[in-house]
Amino acid sequence: TPHIDNLARKGIVFTNAHASASVCTPSRYGFLTGRYAWRSKSAARGGNGFSKSIIEEERVTIANLFKNAGYSTACIGKWHLGLNWQTKEKSEEVTFFPDSGLSNVDYTKKVEKGPDSYGFDYSFIHPASLDMPPYVFLRDNLVIDPEIVLTSEIYPSNLNATEYSWDRKHTNENDVYWEKMVWWRRGEISKSFRIENCLTEIVEDGVSYIEKHAENNSSTPFFMYMPLTGPHTPWIPTDMFKEKSSIGTYGDFILNIDHVVGQITETLIKNGLYENTIIIFSSDNGAYWPKSEIELNQHDSHMGRRGQKGDIWDGGHRIPLIISWPTGINRKGHYEHLVSLTDLFATISDLTNQKLKDNNGEDSFSFFHVLNGDLNTKTRHSMVHQSSGGRFGLRMEEWKYIEGLGSGGFTDPRVMEPKPGGPTGQLYHTKNDLSESTNLFLKHPKIVDKLQNELDKQKSGSSN
């Protein structure tokens, strides 16, 4: 990953950074709003391509902050925060029919609520993950190609794919096309849309946006939010990277993602924008990386941390976070203190000299001092974690407390019943036990009580 490594060498690496949730929709909500998603019923769980818009209408986002400060704003890539589609019959609720793969959406009409409702001047998006229908691009809330067919018309089940069910327990003909992590759910697709070209088209639009901005708006700063569809499934690297890594298709796809970082960086350099542009590279949750993947290629994407995407353990929410800003960062290096993606909201507020208003960014703590050269001062003293199954944990000081037993997410066992006389929750020492393998719940009851009380306090609305 030479391009990502280059950002790290020239900027600041946050070695204790976490998404506020272990799956993408609540994590993205937290990133854009500076607020834990579990404070909102609509944002607490993941959505799909037909979900309604989950960000509250009055909620200020990072894009609003930048727009208020005079920036042009753009969202280019995977949205996955809900859209208010219009239906063929105005009075109908949006409905997706899994048996047929069809919906009642009218793709010729603009969505009534999308990225532009949350501070973005321009948008070019795919509605959700690239394994979820509908498979369409929208530019400024309008589907680019409204001629809709089923995925089976473009990707017949007997062509380089295998019929496979999503939960691996049932057989449902044409439900999912599957190879080794190359699969997507059956559904509606624009006739011109190609799943294998989606990432490339997103990057091309991002590059084009930067180039047009440099040509036409050189005196106006810009903010581009570019959430990629990879390395989420389906793992489809471009031909340039196929069979080029030592860890199979996933490794090839990572090479592809690194190349995207290089393309954006090189576009900024070519247009004279690089030196004074802040580049933030991160992820929205931990990798989907079960034990079988570790054993397959002897590669541990989580460097010994327990669990994976979806889990309450660190593998579910510990993420890469790198910030590069050649003319703005006063001291390069590593920041080892706790940081949440929600903290970008308050940091940007400081960056743009805006005071946070009440009830906005309430779970966000600025680390602007880190960009100014202070790599030692803590940003926050605690953080609440949320698993895909709605399990909560709290990280504070050198401890991590988890309500209940099991992963709470994708790793089995998800839920465990306590044994007689055994622990009812989990307590780990974060410095001495990075793998969260020694449960100290029974050994330190006072610490358990302290962290449970703090978690209750924060869940009731008070942040720390």
Side-chain angles (χ1 to χ4, degrees), residues 350-379:
D350 280 351
L351 174 74
T352 55
N353 296 310
Q354 297 181 70
K355 186 177 180 181
L356 289 182
K357 297 180 180 178
D358 291 342
N359 300 319
N360 280 307
E362 53 262 58
D363 299 302
S364 187
F365 299 85
S366 175
F367 57 78
F368 191 52
H369 62 278
V370 180
L371 304 185
N372 284 329
D374 180 359
L375 302 183
N376 299 313
T377 302
K378 290 183 179 180
T379 296

Side-chain angles (χ1 to χ4, degrees), residues 64-336:
N64 292 129
L65 291 178
F66 276 117
K67 192 169 183 177
N68 292 342
Y71 285 65
S72 296
T73 58
C75 175
I76 299 171
K78 170 187 169 181
W79 178 239
H80 212 164
L81 286 164
L83 297 167
N84 285 13
W85 296 99
Q86 294 196 59
T87 56
K88 293 170 184 174
E89 297 294 333
K90 189 71 176 176
S91 60
E92 291 180 337
E93 288 289 316
V94 172
T95 307
F96 173 67
F97 305 97
D99 289 344
S100 65
L102 299 171
S103 77
N104 62 347
V105 168
D106 187 337
Y107 292 100
T108 66
K109 297 177 182 177
K110 270 194 170 187
V111 297
E112 294 179 327
K113 189 178 288 186
D116 69 327
S117 302
Y118 305 108
F120 291 103
D121 299 317
Y122 170 78
S123 62
F124 175 79
I125 61 168
H126 183 263
S129 296
L130 195 52
D131 52 24
M132 297 178 177
Y135 304 98
V136 299
F137 280 127
L138 296 95
R139 178 172 280 118
D140 294 333
N141 290 0
L142 187 64
V143 173
I144 292 174
D145 177 7
E147 187 175 357
I148 302 296
V149 297
L150 280 175
T151 48
S152 53
E153 183 173 322
I154 296 174
Y155 300 99
S157 60
N158 61 351
L159 180 64
N160 299 322
T162 304
E163 294 171 8
Y164 205 80
S165 65
W166 162 234
D167 62 4
R168 304 192 183 196
K169 295 177 182 176
H170 307 96
T171 300
N172 184 3
E173 186 177 0
N174 291 328
D175 183 40
V176 170
Y177 301 118
W178 183 88
E179 290 177 358
K180 169 65 178 174
M181 301 307 288
V182 182
W183 62 270
W184 47 89
R185 296 168 179 84
R186 182 188 188 206
E188 294 166 319
I189 185 171
S190 290
K191 198 166 186 178
S192 61
F193 190 98
R194 294 297 179 269
I195 289 171
E196 61 271 28
N197 296 334
C198 180
L199 177 64
T200 298
E201 293 188 52
I202 287 169
V203 177
E204 287 175 349
D205 203 81
V207 168
S208 175
Y209 176 82
I210 295 171
E211 291 177 337
K212 288 177 181 176
H213 184 88
E215 182 179 350
N216 301 323
N217 304 286
S218 57
S219 61
T220 303
F222 73 92
F223 165 59
M224 182 174 73
Y225 171 47
M226 191 177 178
L228 304 178
T229 49
H232 196 291
T233 50
W235 294 351
I236 310 180
T238 59
D239 291 342
M240 179 179 177
F241 299 103
K242 288 179 180 177
E243 299 182 0
K244 293 295 194 298
S245 79
S246 60
I247 56 169
T249 305
Y250 182 79
D252 298 345
F253 208 15
I254 292 298
L255 296 182
N256 205 155
I257 299 303
D258 181 73
H259 181 65
V260 170
V261 175
Q263 287 176 278
I264 296 300
T265 303
E266 288 160 15
T267 302
L268 292 168
I269 292 171
K270 185 177 73 173
N271 289 277
L273 300 170
Y274 174 71
E275 292 296 323
N276 195 36
T277 296
I278 302 171
I279 302 176
I280 302 171
F281 176 84
S282 187
S283 180
D284 55 355
N285 46 246
Y288 171 74
W289 209 245
K291 187 178 179 182
S292 58
E293 289 295 335
I294 297 174
E295 293 173 346
L296 181 65
N297 292 296
Q298 301 303 305
H299 174 76
D300 183 359
S301 187
H302 296 117
M303 295 181 68
R305 268 68 175 186
R306 188 178 184 183
Q308 59 174 321
K309 175 181 178 177
D311 294 351
I312 196 65
W313 299 316
D314 275 13
H317 46 76
R318 185 172 178 269
I319 54 168
L321 177 59
I322 302 167
I323 299 183
S324 169
W325 184 13
T327 61
I329 289 176
N330 293 323
R331 185 181 171 193
K332 302 168 188 174
H334 292 71
Y335 184 69
E336 299 177 353

Side-chain angles (χ1 to χ4, degrees), residues 397-413:
E397 298 168 348
E398 70 270 28
W399 297 100
K400 180 179 176 183
Y401 165 70
I402 298 170
E403 293 182 316
L405 302 174
S407 74
F410 292 179
T411 301
D412 290 328

